[in-house]
């Protein structure tokens, strides 16, 4: 009986190892096959992308991520996967893929576009001025980095060079050097447009952050807490002097200091305000009179 059980157990062990061996061989074969058709699958994904079938492209590219690791196709897969996410409004995922591409290969031909698109992904995630501004700040940082790394030439100079080569090609349309130079200049012109966009975006987002501070300061005034309001007005004055909310911050600070009956500080703030905005002299006459009257009596 014991011998019979031993034979059965032995048979089961042999079957188990045979199954594992066959499974291993099968897995190895699948891996080999998947490696063999990587280029074809990438081409299919790119075809889907070019047809704007971004969801299908993303599915294929996601499956390729690990098989192309360390290969010449790795940055291609990451870039078009990021683009597919961006075009389907999955901005957190697109930001992650652009970041991964930038960390992976700083010399990739996709790097300038990836840096710009990373900033734009954070721009899309930027919330209303009253809410959290994590992505607003990240968008500013990434656009600033794009401008720093790819400054480019003045757009007017580039446009003049394009016109020059277009005229030269009218004279000698078969000149390959002229054709190449014109193609390079057109790419540079496109880059100039993205630089202009980045600069405008930074200004817009800095205005948004300043507006957030002014809004919080106003809330403190409404709550009868002018001391808290002064803190946020000062943040705008100190950190966002280039924004459209600087004037509101200075005036708000003067009014808040008057509410606190800090007459000397209010007078100093009013002097600074009027140095920046002398056209407001008449408008602020009432505040000046109130400060002088109470300062003299204090």
């Amino acid at each position: 009986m014991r011998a019979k059980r031993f034979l059965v157990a032995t048979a089961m062990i042999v079957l188990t190892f045979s199954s594992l061996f066959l499974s291993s061989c099968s897995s190895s074969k699948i891996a080999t096959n998947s490696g063999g058709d990587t280029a074809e699958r990438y081409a299919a994904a790119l075809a889907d992308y070019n047809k704007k079938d971004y969801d299908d492209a993303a599915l294929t590219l996601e499956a390729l991520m690990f098989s192309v690791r360390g290969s010449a196709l790795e940055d291609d897969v990451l870039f078009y996967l990021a683009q597919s996410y961006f075009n389907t409004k999955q901005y957190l995922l697109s930001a992650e893929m652009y970041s991964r591409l930038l960390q992976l290969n700083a010399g990739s031909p996709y790097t300038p576009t990836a840096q710009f698109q990373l900033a734009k992904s954070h721009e899309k995630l930027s919330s209303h001025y009253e809410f959290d501004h994590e992505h607003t700040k990240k968008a500013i940082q990434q656009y600033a980095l794009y401008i720093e790394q790819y400054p480019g030439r003045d757009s007017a100079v580039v446009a003049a060079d394009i016109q020059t080569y277009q005229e030269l090609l009218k004279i000698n349309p078969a000149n390959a050097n002229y054709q190449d130079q014109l193609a390079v200049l057109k790419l540079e012109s496109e880059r100039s447009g993205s630089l202009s966009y980045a600069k405008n975006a930074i200004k817009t987002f800095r205005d948004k952050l300043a507006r957030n501070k002014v809004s919080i300061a106003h809330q403190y005034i409404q709550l009868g807490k002018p001391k808290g309001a002064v803190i946020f007005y000062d943040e705008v004055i100190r950190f966002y002097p280039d924004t459209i909310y600087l004037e509101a911050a200075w005036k708000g600070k003067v009014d808040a200091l008057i509410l606190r009956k800090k007459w000397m500080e209010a007078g100093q703030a009013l002097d600074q305000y009027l140095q920046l905005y002398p056209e407001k002299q008449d408008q602020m006459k009432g505040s000046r009179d109130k400060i002088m009257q109470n300062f003299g009596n204090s």
Side-chain angles (χ1 to χ4, degrees), residues 76-139:
D76 298 278
V77 168
L78 286 174
F79 178 74
Y80 283 105
L81 180 56
Q83 290 285 87
S84 297
Y85 286 146
F86 185 89
N87 286 316
T88 51
K89 300 182 180 181
Q90 299 180 78
Y91 301 120
L92 279 173
L93 290 174
S94 67
E96 181 183 347
M97 290 301 112
Y98 290 128
S99 295
R100 190 177 298 187
L101 172 58
L102 292 167
Q103 292 167 6
L104 170 75
N105 187 0
S108 169
Y110 298 116
T111 298
T113 304
Q115 180 61 54
F116 181 79
Q117 288 293 100
L118 173 59
K120 205 163 187 180
S121 295
H122 287 299
E123 175 184 347
K124 295 293 186 181
L125 291 165
S126 176
S127 58
H128 188 268
Y129 77 91
E130 292 181 339
F131 303 133
D132 179 68
H133 286 291
E134 174 190 359
H135 291 288
T136 303
K137 292 174 182 176
K138 286 182 177 179

Side-chain angles (χ1 to χ4, degrees), residues 17-216:
F17 276 100
S18 297
S19 298
L20 288 171
F21 177 75
L22 290 171
S23 175
S24 175
C25 290
S26 176
S27 298
S28 176
K29 186 176 181 181
I30 291 170
T32 302
N33 288 342
S34 65
D37 65 1
T38 295
E40 293 178 9
R41 293 163 69 198
Y42 170 71
L46 196 57
D48 284 334
Y49 179 87
N50 289 330
K51 290 186 293 185
K52 298 185 179 181
D53 293 335
Y54 301 120
D55 287 324
D56 288 343
L59 283 172
T60 304
L61 293 166
E62 285 168 351
L64 285 172
M65 279 182 64
F66 295 103
S67 60
V68 299
R69 185 170 291 176
S71 74
L73 278 177
E74 186 171 13
D75 57 346
D76 298 278
V77 168
L78 286 174
F79 178 74
Y80 283 105
L81 180 56
Q83 290 285 87
S84 297
Y85 286 146
F86 185 89
N87 286 316
T88 51
K89 300 182 180 181
Q90 299 180 78
Y91 301 120
L92 279 173
L93 290 174
S94 67
E96 181 183 347
M97 290 301 112
Y98 290 128
S99 295
R100 190 177 298 187
L101 172 58
L102 292 167
Q103 292 167 6
L104 170 75
N105 187 0
S108 169
Y110 298 116
T111 298
T113 304
Q115 180 61 54
F116 181 79
Q117 288 293 100
L118 173 59
K120 205 163 187 180
S121 295
H122 287 299
E123 175 184 347
K124 295 293 186 181
L125 291 165
S126 176
S127 58
H128 188 268
Y129 77 91
E130 292 181 339
F131 303 133
D132 179 68
H133 286 291
E134 174 190 359
H135 291 288
T136 303
K137 292 174 182 176
K138 286 182 177 179
I140 291 172
Q141 292 168 356
Q142 296 303 329
Y143 276 130
L145 189 58
Y146 177 74
I147 293 168
E148 178 186 342
Q149 291 181 336
Y150 311 102
R153 294 187 298 157
D154 184 84
S155 58
V157 175
V158 176
D161 287 347
I162 288 174
Q163 187 174 3
T164 298
Y165 277 97
Q166 286 173 336
E167 293 299 322
L168 288 171
L169 281 168
K170 288 179 182 178
I171 299 168
N172 186 1
N175 190 303
N177 182 52
Y178 292 166
Q179 293 171 359
D180 291 343
Q181 287 297 321
L182 182 59
V184 170
L185 286 166
K186 285 182 176 179
L187 287 173
E188 189 176 358
S189 178
E190 291 177 9
R191 184 73 51 77
S192 296
S194 65
L195 283 168
S196 177
Y197 184 98
K199 291 172 184 176
N200 290 332
I202 288 174
K203 184 182 184 309
T204 298
F205 288 135
R206 285 184 60 77
D207 283 344
K208 180 188 280 191
L209 293 175
R211 185 181 181 185
N212 172 259
K213 303 299 182 185
V214 169
S215 175
I216 294 172

